[in-house]
Short mmCIF file of all heavy atoms in Angstrom, two decimals:
data_model
loop_
_atom_site.label_atom_id
_atom_site.label_comp_id
_atom_site.label_asym_id
_atom_site.label_seq_id
_atom_site.Cartn_x
_atom_site.Cartn_y
_atom_site.Cartn_z
N GLN A 1 11.90 12.15 27.99
CA GLN A 1 12.33 10.77 27.74
C GLN A 1 13.26 10.71 26.54
O GLN A 1 13.04 11.38 25.53
CB GLN A 1 11.10 9.89 27.52
CG GLN A 1 11.40 8.40 27.40
CD GLN A 1 10.12 7.57 27.38
OE1 GLN A 1 9.05 8.04 27.74
NE2 GLN A 1 10.25 6.32 26.94
N GLN A 2 14.29 9.89 26.64
CA GLN A 2 15.25 9.73 25.56
C GLN A 2 14.74 8.70 24.56
O GLN A 2 14.25 7.63 24.94
CB GLN A 2 16.60 9.27 26.12
CG GLN A 2 17.72 9.17 25.11
CD GLN A 2 18.31 10.51 24.74
OE1 GLN A 2 18.37 11.40 25.57
NE2 GLN A 2 18.75 10.65 23.50
N VAL A 3 14.84 9.01 23.27
CA VAL A 3 14.45 8.07 22.22
C VAL A 3 15.58 7.98 21.21
O VAL A 3 16.43 8.88 21.13
CB VAL A 3 13.15 8.50 21.52
CG1 VAL A 3 11.99 8.58 22.51
CG2 VAL A 3 13.32 9.84 20.82
N ARG A 4 15.59 6.93 20.44
CA ARG A 4 16.60 6.75 19.40
C ARG A 4 15.91 6.75 18.03
O ARG A 4 14.72 6.47 17.91
CB ARG A 4 17.37 5.44 19.60
CG ARG A 4 16.53 4.20 19.47
CD ARG A 4 17.31 2.93 19.77
NE ARG A 4 16.50 1.73 19.55
CZ ARG A 4 15.64 1.25 20.42
NH1 ARG A 4 15.47 1.86 21.59
NH2 ARG A 4 14.94 0.16 20.14
N ALA A 5 16.65 7.04 17.00
CA ALA A 5 16.10 7.08 15.64
C ALA A 5 15.53 5.72 15.27
O ALA A 5 16.15 4.68 15.49
CB ALA A 5 17.19 7.49 14.65
N GLY A 6 14.30 5.71 14.73
CA GLY A 6 13.64 4.48 14.32
C GLY A 6 12.86 3.79 15.42
O GLY A 6 12.17 2.81 15.16
N GLN A 7 12.92 4.32 16.65
CA GLN A 7 12.19 3.69 17.75
C GLN A 7 10.69 3.89 17.58
O GLN A 7 10.22 4.94 17.13
CB GLN A 7 12.65 4.31 19.08
CG GLN A 7 11.94 3.75 20.31
CD GLN A 7 12.47 4.35 21.60
OE1 GLN A 7 13.59 4.86 21.65
NE2 GLN A 7 11.66 4.32 22.65
N ALA A 8 9.89 2.87 17.94
CA ALA A 8 8.44 2.97 17.84
C ALA A 8 7.92 3.95 18.88
O ALA A 8 8.21 3.84 20.07
CB ALA A 8 7.81 1.60 18.04
N LEU A 9 7.13 4.92 18.43
CA LEU A 9 6.58 5.94 19.32
C LEU A 9 5.10 5.69 19.63
O LEU A 9 4.63 6.04 20.72
CB LEU A 9 6.73 7.33 18.69
CG LEU A 9 8.15 7.76 18.33
CD1 LEU A 9 8.13 9.13 17.69
CD2 LEU A 9 9.04 7.76 19.56
N GLY A 10 4.37 5.13 18.69
CA GLY A 10 2.95 4.90 18.90
C GLY A 10 2.36 4.10 17.75
O GLY A 10 3.03 3.76 16.77
N GLY A 11 1.07 3.77 17.90
CA GLY A 11 0.35 3.03 16.86
C GLY A 11 -0.94 3.73 16.50
O GLY A 11 -1.71 4.15 17.39
N VAL A 12 -1.21 3.89 15.20
CA VAL A 12 -2.39 4.61 14.72
C VAL A 12 -3.28 3.67 13.92
O VAL A 12 -2.80 2.90 13.08
CB VAL A 12 -1.97 5.81 13.85
CG1 VAL A 12 -3.18 6.47 13.21
CG2 VAL A 12 -1.19 6.82 14.67
N PHE A 13 -4.60 3.75 14.22
CA PHE A 13 -5.57 3.05 13.36
C PHE A 13 -6.19 4.06 12.43
O PHE A 13 -6.70 5.11 12.85
CB PHE A 13 -6.66 2.38 14.18
CG PHE A 13 -7.78 1.86 13.32
CD1 PHE A 13 -7.62 0.70 12.57
CD2 PHE A 13 -8.98 2.56 13.21
CE1 PHE A 13 -8.63 0.23 11.76
CE2 PHE A 13 -10.00 2.10 12.40
CZ PHE A 13 -9.83 0.93 11.67
N SER A 14 -6.15 3.75 11.12
CA SER A 14 -6.74 4.61 10.12
C SER A 14 -7.54 3.76 9.15
O SER A 14 -7.01 2.79 8.58
CB SER A 14 -5.64 5.38 9.36
OG SER A 14 -6.17 6.02 8.21
N GLN A 15 -8.80 4.12 8.95
CA GLN A 15 -9.65 3.38 8.01
C GLN A 15 -9.10 3.49 6.60
O GLN A 15 -9.10 2.52 5.83
CB GLN A 15 -11.08 3.92 8.06
CG GLN A 15 -12.06 3.17 7.18
CD GLN A 15 -12.20 1.71 7.60
OE1 GLN A 15 -12.44 1.42 8.78
NE2 GLN A 15 -12.05 0.79 6.65
N GLU A 16 -8.59 4.67 6.24
CA GLU A 16 -8.03 4.87 4.90
C GLU A 16 -6.82 3.97 4.68
O GLU A 16 -6.69 3.31 3.63
CB GLU A 16 -7.63 6.33 4.73
CG GLU A 16 -7.01 6.66 3.37
CD GLU A 16 -6.54 8.09 3.27
OE1 GLU A 16 -6.59 8.82 4.29
OE2 GLU A 16 -6.09 8.47 2.17
N LEU A 17 -5.95 3.89 5.66
CA LEU A 17 -4.76 3.08 5.53
C LEU A 17 -5.09 1.59 5.57
O LEU A 17 -4.48 0.78 4.88
CB LEU A 17 -3.76 3.43 6.65
CG LEU A 17 -2.34 2.90 6.53
CD1 LEU A 17 -1.75 3.21 5.16
CD2 LEU A 17 -1.47 3.48 7.63
N TYR A 18 -6.11 1.24 6.34
CA TYR A 18 -6.53 -0.16 6.41
C TYR A 18 -7.05 -0.62 5.04
O TYR A 18 -6.71 -1.71 4.57
CB TYR A 18 -7.61 -0.29 7.48
CG TYR A 18 -7.93 -1.70 7.86
CD1 TYR A 18 -7.20 -2.38 8.82
CD2 TYR A 18 -9.01 -2.37 7.26
CE1 TYR A 18 -7.50 -3.69 9.17
CE2 TYR A 18 -9.32 -3.67 7.59
CZ TYR A 18 -8.56 -4.33 8.55
OH TYR A 18 -8.85 -5.63 8.90
N SER A 19 -7.87 0.22 4.40
CA SER A 19 -8.40 -0.12 3.08
C SER A 19 -7.29 -0.18 2.03
O SER A 19 -7.29 -1.06 1.15
CB SER A 19 -9.46 0.90 2.66
OG SER A 19 -10.51 0.94 3.59
N SER A 20 -6.33 0.71 2.13
CA SER A 20 -5.22 0.73 1.17
C SER A 20 -4.38 -0.52 1.29
O SER A 20 -3.88 -1.06 0.28
CB SER A 20 -4.36 1.98 1.38
OG SER A 20 -5.10 3.16 1.15
N GLN A 21 -4.20 -1.04 2.51
CA GLN A 21 -3.47 -2.30 2.69
C GLN A 21 -4.21 -3.47 2.03
O GLN A 21 -3.59 -4.34 1.41
CB GLN A 21 -3.29 -2.58 4.18
CG GLN A 21 -2.33 -1.62 4.90
CD GLN A 21 -2.18 -2.00 6.37
OE1 GLN A 21 -1.52 -2.98 6.70
NE2 GLN A 21 -2.81 -1.22 7.23
N SER A 22 -5.54 -3.47 2.19
CA SER A 22 -6.33 -4.56 1.58
C SER A 22 -6.21 -4.54 0.06
O SER A 22 -6.07 -5.59 -0.58
CB SER A 22 -7.80 -4.42 2.00
OG SER A 22 -7.93 -4.51 3.41
N GLU A 23 -6.25 -3.34 -0.52
CA GLU A 23 -6.11 -3.21 -1.96
C GLU A 23 -4.73 -3.70 -2.41
O GLU A 23 -4.60 -4.40 -3.43
CB GLU A 23 -6.31 -1.76 -2.38
CG GLU A 23 -7.73 -1.26 -2.18
CD GLU A 23 -7.86 0.24 -2.48
OE1 GLU A 23 -6.84 0.82 -2.93
OE2 GLU A 23 -8.95 0.80 -2.26
N TYR A 24 -3.70 -3.34 -1.68
CA TYR A 24 -2.35 -3.76 -2.04
C TYR A 24 -2.20 -5.28 -1.94
O TYR A 24 -1.60 -5.92 -2.82
CB TYR A 24 -1.31 -3.08 -1.14
CG TYR A 24 0.09 -3.60 -1.36
CD1 TYR A 24 0.81 -3.19 -2.48
CD2 TYR A 24 0.66 -4.52 -0.49
CE1 TYR A 24 2.09 -3.68 -2.72
CE2 TYR A 24 1.94 -5.02 -0.73
CZ TYR A 24 2.65 -4.59 -1.84
OH TYR A 24 3.91 -5.09 -2.07
N LEU A 25 -2.77 -5.86 -0.89
CA LEU A 25 -2.64 -7.30 -0.69
C LEU A 25 -3.34 -8.06 -1.83
O LEU A 25 -2.83 -9.08 -2.32
CB LEU A 25 -3.24 -7.68 0.66
CG LEU A 25 -2.76 -8.98 1.30
CD1 LEU A 25 -1.23 -9.01 1.40
CD2 LEU A 25 -3.38 -9.15 2.68
N SER A 26 -4.48 -7.55 -2.29
CA SER A 26 -5.18 -8.19 -3.42
C SER A 26 -4.37 -8.09 -4.70
O SER A 26 -4.23 -9.07 -5.45
CB SER A 26 -6.55 -7.52 -3.62
OG SER A 26 -7.36 -7.70 -2.48
N ALA A 27 -3.78 -6.91 -4.96
CA ALA A 27 -2.95 -6.73 -6.15
C ALA A 27 -1.70 -7.59 -6.08
O ALA A 27 -1.23 -8.14 -7.11
CB ALA A 27 -2.58 -5.26 -6.31
#
């Protein structure tokens, strides 16, 4: 399949990244 630079390839759920977003939003 042909893709272009910056195209969305997939979505990942990560507990570590989820918690880091919450910390950033509070700050």
Side-chain angles (χ1 to χ4, degrees):
Q1 186 172 344
Q2 184 78 32
V3 300
R4 64 183 184 278
Q7 179 178 338
L9 302 178
V12 173
F13 170 76
S14 168
Q15 183 62 52
E16 179 184 6
L17 192 51
Y18 192 85
S19 301
S20 297
Q21 292 182 74
S22 299
E23 293 174 5
Y24 174 76
L25 203 53
S26 298

